[in-house]
Amino acid sequence: MTGALFEISFVLAAPFWLLMIFLPGRASTARIAASPLTVLPVLAVYLAMAVPVLPELWTAVSSPDIDTFRDLTALSNGAGAVWAQVIAWDLLLGQWMFLESRRLGISPYLMGPLLVLTILLSPFALLVFLVLRAVRQRGTRSGSGLPDRADGVAAGR
């Protein structure tokens, strides 16, 4: 049962990823990506796996150290719960990146691979996206005739 729940956690998130990567221009994709409710099915899997190991989970989060965390993840439900939590947070992060990219006018052809990277290695993808976002925002400010933060500081404003 634990193995099946482990597999199901990503399967429940996959449709939302597919929409953001392959159908980014659809209004329904933006509407769905704007909802935090997309993670509810994955969180249900998380709860199903976390409840049986709640004492171990509580110990790991209330007094964190590497050995306690290792003990938690050595339990199949513990590892599965951590995995489902990662899937849920990655999905929320991907949704935010998707919506931000639309707001900033970042090309879906650039965002598609970046969202795939978010699925695989979200911390790396987030760093790349934050740099891309900063560059895009700086370009938007420069193109609008508004002084960017550095110019205002240098000019004493």
Side-chain angles (χ1 to χ4, degrees):
M1 173 81 162
T2 302
L5 289 174
F6 182 89
E7 298 293 328
I8 288 170
S9 62
F10 182 74
V11 170
L12 292 170
F16 305 112
W17 286 110
L18 291 171
L19 284 172
M20 292 185 293
I21 294 166
F22 293 110
L23 298 172
R26 295 239 172 120
S28 59
T29 300
R31 191 174 56 255
I32 290 166
S35 174
L37 300 179
T38 56
V39 298
L40 287 180
V42 180
L43 292 178
V45 171
Y46 168 80
L47 289 173
M49 301 233 274
V51 168
V53 293
L54 198 53
E56 294 86 352
L57 179 60
W58 179 252
T59 300
V61 299
S62 63
S63 302
D65 69 60
I66 192 69
D67 292 327
T68 305
F69 187 75
R70 192 177 298 126
D71 292 343
L72 171 66
T73 57
L75 304 170
S76 59
N77 273 352
V82 170
W83 180 251
Q85 179 177 328
V86 167
I87 296 296
W89 297 136
D90 284 356
L91 180 56
L92 284 175
L93 176 63
Q95 288 174 229
W96 174 77
M97 290 168 54
F98 172 81
L99 294 169
E100 253 319 84
S101 73
R102 286 178 54 99
R103 184 182 70 80
L104 294 169
I106 298 171
S107 170
Y109 296 112
L110 182 58
M111 283 308 298
L114 192 52
L115 289 171
V116 171
L117 184 60
T118 305
I119 295 168
L120 302 172
L121 297 167
S122 61
F124 291 109
L126 178 59
L127 288 173
V128 170
F129 181 75
L130 291 175
V131 168
L132 178 62
R133 180 176 176 250
V135 167
R136 183 65 180 188
Q137 286 178 324
R138 179 173 287 253
T140 302
R141 270 183 271 162
S142 297
S144 69
L146 298 173
D148 67 333
R149 190 177 247 153
D151 291 340
V153 172
R157 291 181 237 161

